[in-house]
Amino acid sequence: MKKALTLLTAALVASGAHAEQLSVTFGATADLSVRYGDIDLSGNATQNDDIAAPHITLTGLDLDGVGANDDSIEVRFSVKATGGELRRLAAGYRLDKGFVLTFGIASAKMVYGSGKSKAIDGRIVSAAGNNKGSKITSENTGKHLVLKSADTRNNRARSIVAEFEVPVGSSTRAAPVVVPVPNKPGAPGGASRKGGRTPKANPATAPAKPPKAVAPPTIRTDSLLLPRLFCDDMILQQQTKNTFWGWAKAGEKIRVRASWGEQTSTTANASGKWKLFLATPKFGKGYSLTISGKTDTIEIKNVAIGEVWLCVGQSNMGWAMGNSFESEKEAEVSLPDLRIFKSAREHWSVPLGMPRDRLSQWKPCDPDSAAETSAVSYYFAKKLHQELGIPVGIIQQAYAGTPIEGWMPWEIQKDDPRTIAHKAEYDEKAARVGSREQALSDFEKELAEYNAHIDAGETMKNSVKPWSPPIITKPANLGHQYPGHQFNAMIHPVRPYGIRGVIWYQGERNSKDVPQAANYRRQLALLINYYRSSWHEHSGGNVAKDFPFQFTQLPSWTAAQTQPVEGLPAPWVVNREMMRLVTHDVPNTGMAVAIDTGDVVALHPKNKKPIGIRHAYLALKQTYGKDIVASGPSFRKQTINGNQIVLYFDSVGSGMVPGKPGMLDAFAIAGADRNWQWADAVIKGDTVIVSSPKVSKPVAVRYAWAMNPSQRNLLYNKEGIPASPFRTDDWALSDPAAKIVTVKKPAKAANKSSRDWDRPVMTQ
C-alpha cells in the first residue's frame, strides 16, 4: 500500500541534521524497493528492463521547494558476469558455481523540475543468495561488489542494496518532501512487479495529516481494568506461576480462567487493586484467557506460552532494527510466535500503577513490528526463538539519554555519594529554573490532548512519528535525568510480570568522565540485586531471585586507538572494565562484548546485530544449557616469566585467533614505572605471551584500553566472539585531586554515509 508521506519534519529542521540515507534494493523480480530512513517509498520507484544496466527512478519528490513535486532521483547500476552468461530470472541474477558477478554504481543524481541535476554519493552495501545455506564469497569496495559462488547447487544473487546520501546543502530543505504514487488497479498492497518494473509514478496530493487508524483498545470494562501487558497476542513465561493484576470495584471477586485448564481467583482490596498467580504449562500457543468480575468479563485471545525477557536501557537499547545494518534481510520476516511489546518512553516523579502510553501492545513479529523494535532485542529474541523452537517474547523499555540513577528507586541509592551529588545538582537547577506547578499544569493539558487523539482513533502524530505521552523536562527535579524517574514510569508498572531474565544496554550517560565511569561497578550491581529481589518478592517468589541478568559492554566510539593505553580522556574503557568486574561480583550475569561494533562519530551505531546474537549465545549457554561457546576469550590470570607476561584465558572455544591476518596489536605492557608500551603478543594454546623490548621487568598488561580499539588486531576465539578489554593491574584510574576530563564528542562527519566494520564471522 502506498502511504501519504511528508519527510520534512520539524525535528530535522530544528537540528539542521543531515537527511536520512536513501536505500535502494534490486535483484530478484520482487526485490525492487526504496526506503528513505524508516519510510517505504517503493511505490514511487520504477526500473527498466536492462539487466546489465539497471536504471531505477524515484519520482514524486520535492527536492528544491519549487514546483509541484516534479523532482526525482535517478540511479544507474552496472552488472557484469564472468564464467557464464549474464541472466536474470525471477529469483535473481544467475550465480552458479564458477560464476562471478560484479555490481557497480554507474551514476546517481537528483534531477530537478527545472532540468538541472546534482550528483549524489552512494555505495553498494550488501547482497544475498537465494538458496538457504548457499556459499558465496564477496569483495566490497563500496563502488563495486564482487560475488563468487562456491556452491555446487544453482544459486541466484538477489537483494543488492545500495545507499545514497541526499545532502542537506542541495536546498533549503532538511529532507525531501515526497508525494507517493497511488495504487494502480490490480496491484493491491504495492506496486506491480510484472516484468521487473513498477508502474510509472503519478504524483498525487498528500493529505494534510495522516489518515486515522485504530488505536489498540484499553483492556477495560465498566468495572475491570487491566495493564496493557494483558491483551491479545500476549505471551506468558512457561512452567511457573505468572502474576496477573488489575483494578476492579473494591471487594469484587476476580477469577482468571485459562484454556489450558488452570483457574484461580482473588478479591480486590479497598482501593480496587487485585493480584493473583496463575500456573502455566510447558510452552505452547493458541491459548485464551478469561478474566471475570461480578458482572463483566474480558477475554484475551491468541496467548502463547514460552520464554519472556525484559530489555531495558537508553537509546542504543531502543535503536530500531529498521535503522540498522542488514535490516533489509528482515524485510519479509514472519515469526508469529515471536511476540514483541514496545513501550513509549516515560518518566515520572512517583511510581505509576499504569503507564500513560496507550499504544503499547503485544505484536506478533512481522516486517512492521520487527522494524520498529530494538535491534539488539530483536536479534537476541529471534536467535533464541529459532534455536529453542518455542515462543519467545521481549518487553522493550528504553529511554534515550538516561542515567542508571533513573532506573532504580532513590531509596536504594541514597547512600551513594555520587548519586547524592547528582540529585543535588538537579535540585539546584530546579530551584533556579522552572515552576513545578506550571509544569504539572502544562503536562496535564498536553496529556489531555494526547488522550483526545487516541480516543479519536489517531495513532500517528505525523507521517513518521506515533503519538506518545508528553514529557516534562523542566524543572529538573521533574525531568528525565532525576534519580528514580524511569523506574517509576517504565519498570514499576511492569513489575512483577513473569520473566525469565533481563538484558541491559546502558552506560553511555554514566561515562562522561573516568570517576563517573568507575562508580558504575557499584551502581550496576546495586540495580541488578534490587531488580532481582523486588521482582522475586512482588511475584510471590515465582520469578527467580537470581534470574539471569545480561548487559551490553559499551561499543567503540571516537577516533581509532593510536596510543598503547588511553587515560583520562577514555572513560568508556573504564566503564567496560567495571562491567567486566560485575560479571565476577554478581552471580548469574553475562556480558556481551561489543568493541568490534560502534562508530567513529555516531553515538548510535548501526551494527547492532552482532550484539543481539552474542546476548543470545549467553542465554543459550548459561540459561538454557546448550553446548555452545557463549563468549570470547576471558582473562583469568597472569604469571610473570622474566621479561614476559603469560596471560591465561577461559572460553577459548575451538582456539584463540587474531581478528584479521597478522599479529595481535592491542596489548600494552608496563613495568613498575607505569610507562605503557605497545607489546608483542603471541597466542600459545589457551595463553597469550606478552613482551616488549622496551620493558625488561614487566608487571602489568592492559588490552584494548581505549575509547575505540576496534581497528586494532583484536583477540577472538574461532567461534568469532571477541575478548573483552581488561587490565591486570589495580593502579588508580584517576586522581581525586586532578581536574576532571570530560569525553569530547567527535565533530560531525561531512559525509553521513556509513558502513559496517569488518569482523570475524560468528559460526554458531
Side-chain angles (χ1 to χ4, degrees):
M1 179 180 293
K2 315 301 185 301
K3 299 178 181 178
L5 304 171
T6 300
L7 297 180
L8 181 60
T9 66
L12 281 170
V13 175
S15 66
H18 287 272
E20 295 279 359
Q21 289 177 341
L22 185 76
S23 176
V24 178
T25 304
F26 70 101
T29 303
D31 284 347
L32 177 61
S33 68
V34 179
R35 297 188 70 88
Y36 182 84
D38 288 339
I39 311 304
D40 186 356
L41 301 179
S42 304
N44 293 61
T46 61
Q47 181 178 341
N48 66 352
D49 288 326
D50 190 342
I51 63 173
H55 178 192
I56 296 171
T57 303
L58 184 66
T59 58
L61 308 181
D62 183 2
L63 298 168
D64 56 5
V66 178
N69 300 90
D70 54 354
D71 305 326
S72 62
I73 293 177
E74 296 184 5
V75 180
R76 297 179 185 270
F77 297 95
S78 63
V79 186
K80 298 179 181 179
T82 57
E85 178 187 0
L86 179 65
R87 295 181 61 191
R88 178 176 176 269
L89 306 177
Y93 283 91
R94 182 183 178 191
L95 185 60
D96 298 343
K97 185 176 182 181
F99 273 47
V100 178
L101 291 176
T102 302
F103 297 91
I105 299 175
S107 65
K109 61 183 179 180
M110 300 183 296
V111 181
Y112 304 108
S114 63
K116 295 182 179 180
S117 64
K118 183 174 183 178
I120 56 177
D121 294 328
R123 65 187 184 90
I124 302 286
V125 177
S126 63
N130 194 59
N131 288 329
K132 185 177 181 181
S134 58
K135 298 176 181 178
I136 296 175
T137 62
S138 65
E139 298 176 8
N140 193 346
T141 65
K143 290 295 183 183
H144 293 90
L145 175 66
V146 180
L147 300 180
K148 301 177 182 179
S149 176
D151 210 320
T152 58
R153 299 171 297 173
N154 291 336
N155 195 26
R156 302 289 182 267
R158 62 176 302 176
S159 297
I160 299 93
V161 181
E163 290 182 347
F164 301 89
E165 185 75 11
V166 181
V168 173
S170 64
S171 71
T172 59
R173 297 183 179 274
V177 172
V178 180
V179 175
V181 183
N183 281 334
K184 293 281 187 178
S192 167
R193 296 291 190 267
K194 185 176 181 180
R197 295 186 294 176
T198 53
K200 184 170 178 59
N202 180 21
T205 302
K209 63 179 181 179
K212 286 186 177 181
V214 178
T218 300
I219 310 303
R220 71 182 307 161
T221 68
D222 290 340
S223 65
L224 297 177
L225 174 63
L226 297 179
R228 301 204 65 84
L229 281 163
F230 298 97
C231 66
D232 291 349
D233 302 316
M234 69 181 294
I235 181 171
L236 293 168
Q237 178 61 40
Q238 66 170 332
Q239 294 180 302
T240 188
K241 288 187 176 180
N242 283 255
T243 311
F244 283 70
W245 70 95
W247 296 265
K249 294 179 180 179
E252 186 172 5
K253 185 175 181 180
I254 305 297
R255 182 177 299 278
V256 177
R257 295 181 177 88
S259 64
W260 56 87
E262 293 288 338
Q263 63 175 303
T264 188
S265 63
T266 190
T267 301
N269 65 18
S271 63
K273 180 75 179 288
W274 59 267
K275 182 170 75 172
L276 53 75
F277 308 103
L278 182 74
T280 51
K282 192 175 180 181
F283 65 88
K285 58 184 179 179
Y287 294 113
S288 62
L289 291 161
T290 302
I291 297 93
S292 303
K294 182 177 180 180
T295 58
D296 295 351
T297 297
I298 295 173
E299 184 176 2
I300 299 175
K301 302 176 182 178
N302 194 30
V303 177
I305 297 173
E307 293 295 302
V308 183
W309 287 76
L310 176 68
C311 305
V312 187
Q314 56 181 103
S315 52
N316 276 310
M317 173 57 86
W319 188 261
M321 188 279 290
N323 289 333
S324 304
F325 291 134
E326 300 190 63
S327 60
E328 69 280 356
K329 296 180 180 179
E330 311 301 317
E332 298 180 4
V333 65
S334 178
L335 297 170
D337 296 330
L338 171 55
R339 309 291 172 90
I340 299 167
F341 186 93
K342 176 178 179 286
S343 293
R345 62 181 186 177
E346 290 189 68
H347 69 267
W348 200 241
S349 56
V350 295
L352 295 179
M354 190 166 178
R356 298 181 175 96
D357 175 18
R358 292 176 56 192
L359 297 183
S360 57
Q361 61 180 323
W362 284 104
K363 298 179 181 179
C365 179
D366 60 21
D368 291 334
S369 60
E372 70 181 10
T373 200
S374 155
V376 170
S377 302
Y378 170 77
Y379 287 114
F380 163 78
K382 180 182 178 184
K383 181 71 172 176
L384 280 191
H385 177 50
Q386 293 177 331
E387 294 294 327
L388 298 176
I390 66 175
V392 170
I394 48 175
I395 302 171
Q396 177 189 325
Q397 305 291 93
Y399 196 134
T402 51
I404 193 172
E405 291 89 345
W407 290 97
M408 48 185 161
W410 161 248
E411 290 73 18
I412 74 162
Q413 51 184 329
K414 63 183 180 181
D415 296 328
D416 184 330
R418 290 195 64 90
T419 304
I420 294 170
H422 175 94
K423 179 176 180 292
E425 175 188 354
Y426 285 92
D427 285 335
E428 182 183 353
K429 288 181 179 180
R432 288 187 281 111
V433 180
S435 163
R436 186 181 184 92
E437 292 73 21
Q438 186 61 51
L440 292 171
S441 175
D442 292 343
F443 175 86
E444 291 300 329
K445 292 177 182 178
E446 293 175 12
L447 182 62
E449 293 175 1
Y450 165 77
N451 285 323
H453 286 292
I454 304 303
D455 290 340
E458 299 175 10
T459 62
M460 301 298 291
K461 186 173 184 178
N462 54 43
S463 59
V464 296
K465 186 177 181 180
W467 282 106
S468 60
I471 295 295
I472 294 179
T473 57
K474 295 179 181 179
N477 58 5
L478 288 178
H480 69 298
Q481 297 294 306
Y482 203 74
H485 282 193
Q486 282 70 43
F487 173 84
N488 290 339
M490 301 191 74
I491 299 300
H492 185 271
V494 303
R495 186 193 64 182
Y497 194 85
I499 59 171
R500 172 67 72 188
V502 171
I503 293 179
W504 172 260
Y505 189 166
Q506 190 278 338
E508 301 93 333
R509 180 61 183 79
N510 287 86
S511 301
K512 291 188 172 183
D513 56 66
V514 167
Q516 184 191 39
N519 197 46
Y520 201 75
R521 179 181 184 181
R522 173 182 176 175
Q523 291 177 300
L524 182 56
L526 186 66
L527 180 140
I528 294 169
N529 290 330
Y530 176 74
Y531 276 34
R532 284 174 167 174
S533 62
S534 67
W535 227 283
H536 180 71
E537 176 188 351
H538 288 275
S539 69
N542 292 301
V543 172
K545 61 184 177 182
D546 62 344
F547 62 70
F549 198 109
Q550 300 181 17
F551 33 91
T552 305
Q553 194 181 56
L554 295 184
S556 285
W557 184 46
T558 72
Q561 180 182 8
T562 58
Q563 299 297 317
V565 164
E566 294 179 3
L568 292 179
W572 281 34
V573 71
V574 175
N575 183 286
R576 294 183 195 121
E577 176 71 352
M578 297 305 107
M579 287 192 181
R580 186 183 73 87
L581 294 174
V582 170
T583 64
H584 298 283
D585 298 341
V586 184
N588 202 20
T589 55
M591 180 180 69
V593 176
I595 57 170
D596 57 351
T597 72
D599 192 274
V600 172
V601 175
L603 193 56
H604 303 116
K606 297 182 178 180
N607 37 24
K608 295 289 195 290
K609 184 175 181 179
I611 300 173
I613 291 176
R614 289 167 190 171
H615 275 295
Y617 286 160
L618 290 168
L620 289 169
K621 174 78 170 183
Q622 298 177 357
T623 305
Y624 301 108
K626 298 295 183 180
D627 184 16
I628 66 168
V629 178
S631 60
S634 175
F635 169 69
R636 176 161 49 92
K637 69 175 184 176
Q638 75 166 21
T639 60
I640 299 174
N641 183 13
N643 66 346
Q644 298 178 331
I645 292 182
V646 182
L647 305 171
Y648 293 81
F649 291 85
D650 294 323
S651 192
V652 298
S654 303
M656 297 190 294
V657 293
K660 52 191 174 185
M663 300 292 290
L664 296 169
D665 64 2
F667 287 87
I669 193 168
D673 60 359
R674 305 186 183 186
N675 184 14
W676 293 100
Q677 303 290 338
W678 286 116
D680 298 324
V682 178
I683 297 170
K684 186 175 181 180
D686 65 350
T687 70
V688 175
I689 301 172
V690 183
S691 64
S692 168
K694 297 181 179 180
V695 183
S696 59
K697 295 182 178 180
V699 298
V701 171
R702 291 187 184 181
Y703 167 71
W705 201 265
M707 288 287 291
N708 179 4
S710 64
Q711 303 310 301
R712 311 300 301 178
N713 199 358
L714 300 174
L715 177 65
Y716 287 78
N717 53 30
K718 290 182 180 179
E719 283 70 25
I721 313 175
S724 166
F726 64 89
R727 64 175 184 152
T728 68
D729 64 276
D730 60 358
W731 300 335
L733 294 168
S734 64
D735 180 354
K739 181 181 178 181
I740 297 295
V741 178
T742 303
V743 64
K744 295 181 179 179
K745 293 183 179 180
K748 292 183 178 180
N751 185 354
K752 192 183 175 184
S753 63
S754 59
R755 60 176 294 272
D756 197 2
W757 294 338
D758 295 329
R759 67 183 65 83
V761 174
M762 293 186 290
T763 62
Q764 299 176 105

